[in-house]
Amino acid sequence: MTRDEEHDQFDRKIEAMGVRIKDANTVKVRDDVFDEVTLMALYKLVQKKQISVIGGPISTGKEANVFYGEHDGRGIVIKIYRIQTANFKAMTEYMAGDRRFSSVRGTRKGLIFAWTKKEFSNLARAHDVGIPVPEPLVFDRNILLMEFLGEDEVPYPQLRNAEVEDYGAVYQQILGYVKRLYQEAHLIHADLSEYNILYHEKPYLIDMGQAVTLDHPRAPVFLIRDIKNLNRYFSRYCDVTDEEEVLRAIVGTGRREP
Ligand SMILES: Nc1ncnc2c1ncn2[C@@H]1O[C@H](COP(=O)(O)OP(=O)(O)OP(=O)(O)O)[C@@H](O)[C@H]1O
Ligand SMILES: [Mg+2]
């Protein structure tokens, strides 16, 4: 069977289960993303009734492709980590220092599956303490399903493209999230920027695959980098607080000065 024939057969199988494949564009990007493993994982999720519509692509990032979907009439995001083209080396570094995942070794596939699970756990921890992030729903192999943040199939804009009235207030709100992420969820986002924050009435943090626990050896480096990124962006629009002071506010007074 050729790949096209395989895909046709896959589409028929999926559609036989009552799942609509909505957007012809999905088919076009499929070839890079949908290898055997991914098709199987997707098939499993459909079979388990976690997906009722597979919609069009929202984004093609460095490591993942993001699609719109539906489950029980609710919008969901289908985030598929690419097995072949993900940045294996960078991912390994984030994994190795994180005690939850430090035993993950070996194959590219194994690493990507663990990474998918890591993003699920990170989102769950943040969501559990009430930080605005997409609610994670379920994962299978390299596919993560989460709540869709948007309206009428249109995602909320990234902060860099959003219309914000009061930048000072949004800056403070985000610093508040970073502090709660640190103090209550015991995580550092580690890729915080105007790309990984969506905005609609309030900011939402997204893209948490790389987020690490506080005991990661590079946790302090990641935290200061996140703060610098926020300050770099917000300094164009409002006054920002000195990064050392922000750091102290986030880490708190747990550390006594001599
Ligand atoms: N839950 C969501 N709801 C709405 N839109 C989303 C959601 N998750 C992601 N998106 C959209 O897809 C884009 C890419 O998502 P995300 O940042 O998670 O992956 P990525 O940047 O491709 O990953 P990587 O950093 O590995 O390349 C986001 O900028 C956003 O526009
Ligand atoms: Mg991103």
Side-chain angles (χ1 to χ4, degrees):
M1 236 189 318
T2 65
R3 272 189 82 83
D4 279 352
E5 283 165 344
E6 267 175 40
H7 280 154
D8 285 348
Q9 203 180 47
F10 176 78
D11 283 3
R12 278 197 296 277
K13 273 196 208 161
I14 295 266
E15 280 174 344
M17 290 188 283
V19 167
R20 238 170 347 125
I21 299 180
K22 250 189 153 174
D23 189 328
N25 279 332
T26 314
V27 183
K28 289 188 202 131
V29 283
R30 265 187 346 191
D31 265 351
D32 333 324
V33 196
F34 290 9
D35 50 64
E36 291 299 289
V37 168
T38 305
L39 285 175
M40 274 317 293
L42 199 59
Y43 190 75
K44 270 273 161 58
L45 287 165
V46 168
Q47 222 171 17
K48 285 192 283 186
K49 305 229 178 295
Q50 302 286 355
I51 301 175
S52 47
V53 173
I54 300 174
I58 295 176
S59 142
T60 305
K62 285 189 308 298
E63 332 281 359
N65 291 54
V66 173
F67 295 85
Y68 176 78
E70 284 172 20
H71 174 244
D72 283 348
R74 246 180 90 193
I76 59 170
V77 149
I78 306 171
K79 184 169 181 177
I80 303 181
Y81 282 100
R82 289 189 302 273
I83 293 169
Q84 287 318 317
T85 57
N87 188 343
F88 187 75
K89 198 164 159 265
M91 285 173 148
T92 305
E93 196 186 305
Y94 285 90
M95 295 292 261
D98 192 311
R99 256 195 242 154
R100 297 169 300 169
F101 296 94
S102 54
S103 66
V104 174
R105 287 208 176 73
T107 64
R108 167 175 282 279
K109 227 166 43 184
L111 181 89
I112 304 297
F113 296 173
W115 188 267
T116 309
K117 180 180 182 172
K118 184 162 171 276
E119 175 155 37
F120 181 93
S121 317
N122 289 338
L123 287 172
R125 280 166 86 140
H127 186 260
D128 286 351
V129 301
I131 297 165
V133 298
E135 179 183 2
L137 302 171
V138 64
F139 66 92
D140 190 312
R141 282 163 261 196
N142 57 327
I143 302 183
L144 171 61
L145 305 187
M146 69 185 99
E147 173 189 5
F148 174 71
L149 300 175
E151 250 167 62
D152 299 329
E153 306 188 19
V154 181
Y156 296 148
Q158 295 172 353
L159 179 61
R160 68 194 175 102
N161 296 323
E163 269 186 48
V164 174
E165 243 177 61
D166 184 347
Y167 274 96
V170 172
Y171 174 64
Q172 290 305 328
Q173 234 171 341
I174 295 169
L175 290 183
Y177 296 172
V178 175
K179 179 170 182 174
R180 278 161 63 203
L181 200 60
Y182 186 97
Q183 299 265 341
E184 296 168 38
H186 308 296
L187 287 176
I188 290 162
H189 185 289
D191 192 19
L192 205 56
S193 74
E194 62 276 22
Y195 290 79
N196 285 332
I197 298 171
L198 302 188
Y199 187 82
H200 176 73
E201 291 171 356
K202 65 179 177 200
Y204 295 83
L205 307 185
I206 62 163
D207 200 2
M208 295 193 64
Q210 70 296 317
V212 297
T213 45
L214 306 186
D215 52 28
H216 192 291
R218 300 197 59 204
V221 178
F222 295 150
L223 179 58
I224 199 78
R225 191 176 67 191
D226 282 352
I227 296 169
K228 279 186 174 158
N229 267 339
L230 288 176
N231 277 1
R232 172 194 47 75
Y233 184 72
F234 278 94
S235 62
R236 297 187 215 154
Y237 301 100
C238 63
D239 288 340
V240 299
T241 313
D242 171 73
E243 66 198 43
E244 283 298 325
E245 197 178 318
V246 173
L247 183 66
R248 277 195 299 276
I250 289 168
V251 174
T253 49
R255 259 186 343 178
R256 287 246 165 73
E257 305 296 341

